Amino acid sequence: MSDDTPDSLIPYDEIVQEALRAVVGRVLGEIEQGGSELPGNHHFYITFKTGAAGVSIPSHLRERFPDEMTIVLQNKFWDLEVREDGFSVGLSFNQVPAKLSVPFAAITAFVDPAVDFGLQFQATVPDMEPESHDDAENDGSDGSGDAGPKGADDGSNVVTVDFGRKK
């Protein structure tokens, strides 16, 4: 490809992003259909834009994570419900239960560290640069010392799609 490659009239980047988000939906849907039991050592880190349209989280979490938040689906979660456009789940934060509803379009990363698999997405909230943030540290950890997604920094098995959209 060269610098004089014409802009595509087909939105390939949007089509690919949508397809990869469907992977997240399928995985979560299979977990829901299996009684919300995660097989083996599988667990998920899901990062999403808290300010994206359709995101519903308690106000105290929105104050703490005004831009982006990472949740962990591992040991303590309930009422996982997967819809065509997103999912909702119950989680505990500092022993306080909370219900979160997240559209797939708000997700910026999905990682399953048990198998070193991850997907990263372009943010769909226009012109929002991610700010550094702490992981949400919901009460799902088993205390094994997992502080964050393994392999997220080294790029192993992480699919990043960026077609260099012109602004």
Side-chain angles (χ1 to χ4, degrees):
M1 294 178 69
S2 65
D3 290 338
D4 58 348
T5 303
D7 289 339
S8 175
L9 300 177
I10 300 171
Y12 288 113
D13 54 343
E14 292 173 22
I15 294 168
V16 170
Q17 292 287 314
E18 186 177 309
L20 290 175
R21 283 190 171 94
V23 170
V24 176
R26 181 171 175 183
V27 169
L28 293 178
E30 289 183 10
I31 299 302
E32 176 189 28
Q33 289 174 351
S36 293
E37 293 288 324
L38 294 169
N41 291 323
H42 289 277
H43 57 288
F44 310 126
Y45 290 89
I46 303 172
T47 303
F48 60 94
K49 291 289 194 179
T50 56
V55 170
S56 175
I57 61 174
S59 59
H60 71 280
L61 292 176
R62 190 174 304 275
E63 289 171 11
R64 184 168 173 206
F65 303 99
D67 177 51
E68 201 168 58
M69 176 178 188
T70 300
I71 59 172
V72 180
L73 299 187
Q74 187 170 12
N75 297 323
K76 297 179 183 179
F77 67 94
W78 58 91
D79 295 338
L80 177 63
E81 179 186 328
V82 182
R83 303 173 310 276
E84 187 174 318
D85 66 334
F87 71 98
S88 60
V89 66
L91 293 169
S92 179
F93 298 87
N94 295 324
Q95 309 300 321
V96 177
K99 183 77 168 189
L100 289 76
S101 182
V102 180
F104 293 127
I107 296 174
T108 58
F110 175 85
V111 177
D112 182 347
V115 292
D116 207 20
F117 176 80
L119 296 171
Q120 292 181 329
F121 306 100
Q122 295 173 356
T124 57
V125 178
D127 300 323
M128 286 186 74
E129 282 295 318
E131 298 174 5
S132 62
H133 68 286
D134 297 329
D135 287 347
E137 298 177 13
N138 53 292
D139 299 337
S141 177
D142 61 359
S144 65
D146 282 344
K150 293 177 186 163
D153 291 332
D154 66 7
S156 59
N157 292 335
V158 174
V159 178
T160 302
V161 179
D162 184 359
F163 290 97
R165 183 182 315 196
K166 294 183 179 180
K167 294 185 179 190

